[in-house]
């Protein structure tokens, strides 16, 4: 069993998630495009998808911030019929931004299909609303200020923002294909 006639890679529009503080200062930003290969068939039947993932445009973190990105592909689905299958898979991008105070996560999902089409699912790709200047803040505990001071000092001493990322990909292929060496014409 061999798949052939692959096309692509196809790519989506560009998406971006940016986090700002209450003064409008950019803290972190992640920009990407979804990419996938499509159109693979088995003996002229079906349209399958493989190598679904992302192509990163920008990964930025301000000195005191952390940007964590997780990319995973969810379980493949048949969007066609049993006689003429169209494989598809949801690719999910989860972006988290955090510093010494809080962590915020936003998620964006795109369904990519073996016929080369795609459909945007839930996607929080707009900017996070900054906290209003002058909004009521909790009482300050002096011991917390000392701990925060240590964190800020360590960030300055290290002089490096951090980027943690993990990448996963999946394919929608015919039943019985158990090893990538069974596939051809990538």
């Amino acid at each position: 069993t061999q798949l052939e006639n692959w096309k692509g890679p196809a790519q989506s529009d560009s998406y971006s998630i940016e986090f700002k503080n209450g003064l409008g200062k950019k803290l972190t930003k992640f920009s990407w495009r979804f990419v996938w290969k499509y159109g693979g068939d088995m003996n002229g039947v079906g349209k399958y998808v493989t190598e679904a993932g992302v192509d990163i445009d920008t990964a930025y973190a301000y000195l005191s911030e952390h940007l964590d990105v997780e990319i995973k592909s969810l379980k493949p689905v048949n969007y066609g019929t049993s006689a003429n299958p169209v494989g598809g898979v949801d690719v999910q991008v989860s972006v988290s931004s955090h510093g010494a105070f809080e962590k915020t996560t936003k998620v964006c999902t795109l369904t990519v299909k073996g016929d080369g089409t795609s459909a945007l699912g839930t996607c929080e790709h707009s900017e996070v609303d900054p906290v209003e200047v002058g909004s009521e803040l909790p009482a300050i505990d002096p011991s917390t200020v000392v701990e925060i001071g240590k964190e800020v000092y360590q960030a300055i001493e290290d002089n490096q923002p951090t980027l943690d990322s993990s990448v996963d990909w999946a394919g929608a292929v015919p039943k019985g294909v158990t090893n990538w060496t069974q596939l051809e014409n990538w």
Side-chain angles (χ1 to χ4, degrees):
T1 60
Q2 295 183 355
L3 297 176
E4 57 186 1
N5 300 317
W6 290 105
K7 297 177 181 85
Q11 69 178 8
S12 69
D13 292 335
S14 183
Y15 294 92
S16 181
I17 295 177
E18 183 174 313
F19 297 91
K20 295 182 179 184
N21 67 10
L23 300 174
K25 171 82 174 152
K26 177 171 55 174
L27 300 175
T28 58
K29 181 176 184 177
F30 185 72
S31 302
W32 75 96
R33 293 176 190 272
F34 292 96
V35 294
W36 68 101
K37 290 184 180 176
Y38 64 96
D41 64 59
M42 188 166 83
N43 301 322
V45 177
K47 297 288 182 196
Y48 298 99
V49 62
T50 192
E51 295 183 32
V54 302
D55 183 21
I56 299 170
D57 293 329
T58 304
Y60 168 82
Y62 185 69
L63 180 64
S64 63
E65 297 299 309
H66 300 271
L67 175 66
D68 300 326
V69 179
E70 181 180 12
I71 300 158
K72 61 183 174 180
S73 298
L74 306 179
K75 188 175 180 179
V77 174
N78 179 9
Y79 288 95
T81 64
S82 57
N84 193 17
V86 177
V89 66
D90 289 347
V91 180
Q92 186 178 69
V93 177
S94 177
V95 181
S96 297
S97 178
H98 61 96
F101 297 107
E102 68 178 85
K103 182 174 185 176
T104 305
T105 301
K106 290 198 159 214
V107 177
C108 189
T109 304
L110 186 79
T111 300
V112 297
K113 298 179 183 176
D115 61 5
T117 63
S118 63
L120 185 63
T122 303
C123 191
E124 304 171 280
H125 60 92
S126 60
E127 295 176 5
V128 173
D129 295 328
V131 176
E132 282 187 42
V133 175
S135 62
E136 198 168 316
L137 298 174
I140 297 174
D141 176 356
S143 65
T144 305
V145 173
V146 172
E147 291 173 18
I148 293 170
K150 289 178 187 175
E151 291 286 331
V152 171
Y153 175 77
Q154 189 63 47
I156 292 169
E157 184 181 60
D158 294 344
N159 198 26
Q160 293 293 320
T162 64
L163 170 64
D164 297 323
S165 66
S166 64
V167 177
D168 186 17
W169 69 272
V173 296
K175 185 175 182 178
V177 173
T178 58
N179 189 306
W180 68 270
T181 59
Q182 294 174 287
L183 309 176
E184 64 180 28
N185 296 328
W186 293 103

